[in-house]
Amino acid sequence: MELPVEICASAPFDHAKADVILRSADGVEFRVFMLFLTLASPFFETLFSLPQASDGASDQEMKDGLVVIVVSEDSKTLDSFLRFCYPSTLAEDPSLDNLTEVLSVLAAARKYSLDLIERKVCQALANPKVLETEPFRCFAIARNARLKHETITAARHNLRQPLIPALFAEINLITASDLLALMTYHKKCIIAVQTLMKDLKWMTDHYGSLHGCGLLVGRLNNTHYSQYCCGQGNDNRFFPWGTPPLAWWTTYMQEMYELLQDSPSGDAVRAAADKTIQKVRTAGCATCSGRVKEAMTEFSNLLALKVEEAVAPVELEMDF
């Protein structure tokens, strides 16, 4: 039976003057300096301060005159972990953009008592780009790690998504109780925003009058102008002053009514407004296409603010 062949890690963990070897679970050897690990981790400080047995008096594995310490982490995790321990002039911190790596690095950070890495992991889970695209995965990882702030932040970003999430690998990291708590929070937020679509007082208070609302209800400088080119809405749920608004604005409000019953998020409101702006411009109305962006940006920001205010008091009921 052939013995496994050890592989030397890449720079900077292959230094000829290193004074200890860490061997990963998959057989990769990291030649590192005790000083860097000791300064970064109380665990290693204690480990390296233990008295060493004299040559030949211990079964401690040695290689090239260096102590070999076998660790349970795989080489990818160990590489990320060690880069945090080394000075930035020798090794840049890993980005941790890949959520799959975050949990294993966090586990190593806690095992070896590196608070700095835990803070870096928290920053990775709070990365807006990651939260926007994968909030549920962030939630599962943060919850599994019992990171309260990151769990709550991910739950809030998850409001942009449908109530029932698509299946993903990290769902196994959370319990049924965790999933129920997230869905309950999501449902309470849906209920909290429903009154915004049933009572448009927030809109009439903001604009003050029919004329203040301008383009959205088909008036500009006190003159009707657009019912002939863009049509008027006929859904009386969305007659803020008892007057039919423009058809495209009515369509937007109908879409919001449906959207907020699944994704109670200010960002979802703004994203839908961007689509409406594009639709109106594509339709080619000479009057509406030139002013729709200004009007819809103001209105969608107002509605998004009201949505965010409505969900803000809702709490994620979960023990940490």
Side-chain angles (χ1 to χ4, degrees), residues 15 37 40 50 74 85 95 101 108-109 111 118 152 154-155 167 171 176 185 207 231 258 263 266 273 277 285 292 313:
H15 204 286
L37 272 60
L50 295 175
D74 63 29
C85 298
S95 64
E101 301 172 9
K111 174 181 175 181
E118 184 162 347
I152 293 173
L167 185 64
I171 198 169
Y185 166 75
Y207 288 102
E258 297 297 327
S263 304
I277 292 170
C285 171
V292 63

Side-chain angles (χ1 to χ4, degrees), residues 9-81:
S10 59
F13 309 121
D14 58 352
H15 204 286
K17 294 184 178 181
D19 49 15
V20 68
I21 297 174
L22 300 184
R23 183 182 296 153
S24 67
D26 50 348
V28 179
E29 294 183 344
F30 292 75
R31 293 173 177 261
V32 295
F33 291 91
M34 291 186 189
L35 176 61
F36 296 151
L37 272 60
T38 297
L39 292 175
S41 164
F43 176 93
F44 284 112
E45 181 179 15
T46 301
L47 178 65
F48 295 145
S49 66
L50 295 175
Q52 300 295 317
S54 59
D55 292 345
S58 169
D59 58 359
Q60 170 68 59
E61 182 180 354
M62 305 289 292
K63 183 173 183 178
D64 300 333
L66 303 181
V67 171
V68 177
I69 300 174
V70 179
V71 298
S72 59
E73 289 73 28
D74 63 29
S75 57
K76 196 168 187 178
T77 301
L78 191 57
D79 183 273
S80 296
F81 170 81

Side-chain angles (χ1 to χ4, degrees), residues 265-284:
S265 161
D267 289 313
V269 169
R270 295 185 184 95
D274 290 339
K275 293 179 180 179
T276 294
I277 292 170
Q278 292 303 317
K279 289 178 183 177
V280 172
R281 286 178 167 175
T282 300

Side-chain angles (χ1 to χ4, degrees), residues 167-226:
L167 185 64
F168 65 101
E170 287 82 0
I171 198 169
N172 293 325
L173 297 176
I174 59 176
T175 66
S177 295
D178 294 333
L179 180 59
L180 179 61
L182 178 64
M183 295 179 68
T184 300
Y185 166 75
H186 199 122
K187 186 63 178 179
K188 286 182 177 180
C189 289
I190 290 173
I191 294 171
V193 303
Q194 284 182 351
T195 55
L196 295 174
M197 293 291 99
K198 296 177 180 178
D199 183 357
L200 301 181
K201 186 175 184 299
W202 53 271
M203 177 181 177
T204 56
D205 287 348
H206 174 79
Y207 288 102
S209 69
L210 180 69
H211 302 302
C213 196
L215 178 65
L216 302 181
V217 293
R219 286 177 178 267
L220 187 62
N221 297 327
N222 300 327
T223 303
H224 286 281
Y225 67 89
S226 60

Side-chain angles (χ1 to χ4, degrees), residues 283-299:
C285 171
T287 303
C288 293
S289 60
R291 300 185 56 127
V292 63
K293 181 175 177 60
E294 177 184 356
M296 282 302 294
T297 297
E298 178 183 359
F299 178 77

Side-chain angles (χ1 to χ4, degrees), residues 214-262:
L215 178 65
L216 302 181
V217 293
R219 286 177 178 267
L220 187 62
N221 297 327
N222 300 327
T223 303
H224 286 281
Y225 67 89
S226 60
Q227 61 266 39
Y228 303 108
C229 59
C230 290
Q232 293 180 330
N234 56 10
D235 190 337
N236 59 17
R237 294 177 300 172
F238 308 119
F239 285 14
W241 284 277
T243 301
L246 290 174
W248 55 257
W249 182 79
T250 300
T251 299
Y252 171 77
M253 291 298 286
Q254 291 170 333
E255 292 172 352
M256 284 304 94
Y257 186 87
E258 297 297 327
L259 179 66
L260 292 176
Q261 292 189 59
D262 205 25

